[in-house]
Amino acid sequence: LVADLTQIRRGEKKLHDMNYRWVNRLGRPVWINCRGNVIDDEDGTPMVLLGRVSRASFENKVNKLTGMFNRRKMLEDSISEQFMSKDGHILLLGLDRLLKSYSQYGREYMENIVESCARYLEEMVTEKQAVYHAEDAVFAVCFEGVTREEIQNFYDELMNKIQKKFTITAVA
């Protein structure tokens, strides 16, 4: 984002069209698409970026609870040429006994567990990884160019972070 806006400020680009996350008024992360055109002053120097911010293009690609990309977006990404050309692995993480938690403690408790897991995962992923909230109690972490040992280290670090707040089953 910073690089793109820097190019616009320098006059090297005239169009901004990017997807990124913002924090909404409730403090929750949301995916948005921002698109705009540069309007120059009389000297040809960029004066203003005029456009729009929209969440509409993400309505069916984002989990409403966690704000993370969902299974639909994961499948879309996985069939893209960019993804298919890379050496990658997917780590599926399932929150154990989530339905039991729901029946015992209620929806709010269950949602807190799911949101907590999502935040831990988002804190841990790097630029070479992508995390998705695949469905109710399942998350997927996509790794690019890593070894099984690195995936195991990721899982071990996650287990250290959650410190028995909930349990996770994983398969890579």
Side-chain angles (χ1 to χ4, degrees), residues 13-44:
K13 275 183 82 173
K14 297 295 181 190
L15 174 68
H16 176 71
D17 186 8
M18 291 186 79
N19 300 321
Y20 41 88
R21 289 181 88 177
W22 268 1
V23 176
N24 70 11
R25 286 176 274 194
L26 302 173
R28 299 181 70 122
V30 294
W31 280 98
I32 56 115
N33 173 264
C34 184
R35 182 179 299 161
N37 293 303
V38 175
I39 297 175
D40 296 334
D41 63 14
E42 300 85 33
D43 301 326

Side-chain angles (χ1 to χ4, degrees), residues 8 13 16 25 47 77 96 124 131 134 136 143 158 160:
I8 287 171
K13 275 183 82 173
H16 176 71
R25 286 176 274 194
M47 181 175 67
D77 290 350
D96 297 335
M124 293 176 58
V131 64
D136 303 328
F143 295 86
L158 177 62
N160 287 334

Side-chain angles (χ1 to χ4, degrees), residues 3-167:
D4 192 73
L5 293 176
T6 300
Q7 286 181 309
I8 287 171
R9 206 174 313 118
R10 290 182 188 151
E12 298 166 4
K13 275 183 82 173
K14 297 295 181 190
L15 174 68
H16 176 71
D17 186 8
M18 291 186 79
N19 300 321
Y20 41 88
R21 289 181 88 177
W22 268 1
V23 176
N24 70 11
R25 286 176 274 194
L26 302 173
R28 299 181 70 122
V30 294
W31 280 98
I32 56 115
N33 173 264
C34 184
R35 182 179 299 161
N37 293 303
V38 175
I39 297 175
D40 296 334
D41 63 14
E42 300 85 33
D43 301 326
T45 304
M47 181 175 67
V48 67
L49 177 64
L50 185 63
R52 58 112 179 112
V53 174
S54 172
R55 287 181 46 194
S57 61
F58 290 99
E59 288 299 315
N60 296 321
K61 298 177 184 177
V62 174
N63 180 281
K64 290 181 182 0
L65 175 63
T66 60
M68 298 170 89
F69 283 134
N70 62 19
R71 180 173 34 169
R72 174 179 281 178
K73 177 68 170 131
M74 182 179 76
L75 294 173
E76 224 176 72
D77 290 350
S78 69
I79 60 172
S80 72
E81 282 185 41
Q82 182 182 5
F83 184 85
M84 296 298 279
S85 66
K86 295 180 181 173
D87 176 31
H89 298 78
I90 297 176
L91 176 67
L92 293 176
L93 301 163
L95 295 169
D96 297 335
R97 299 183 291 282
L98 195 64
L99 290 177
K100 186 176 182 183
S101 297
Y102 176 72
S103 63
Q104 282 184 320
Y105 304 109
R107 180 180 179 165
E108 188 175 329
Y109 179 80
M110 180 193 69
E111 287 179 350
N112 285 336
I113 290 173
V114 171
E115 287 178 311
S116 294
C117 185
R119 295 301 149 277
Y120 287 130
L121 289 167
E122 287 183 324
E123 288 172 9
M124 293 176 58
V125 295
T126 67
E127 293 173 6
K128 290 191 169 192
Q129 300 161 349
V131 64
Y132 300 88
H133 186 168
E135 56 187 50
D136 303 328
V138 179
F139 293 89
V141 183
C142 299
F143 295 86
E144 175 189 328
V146 298
T147 65
R148 282 198 174 276
E149 184 179 326
E150 290 170 297
I151 295 171
Q152 181 66 51
N153 291 341
F154 181 94
Y155 177 77
D156 292 342
E157 183 181 340
L158 177 62
M159 292 300 101
N160 287 334
K161 280 186 176 286
I162 65 171
Q163 297 179 357
K164 302 189 192 244
K165 293 178 181 130
F166 44 88
T167 58

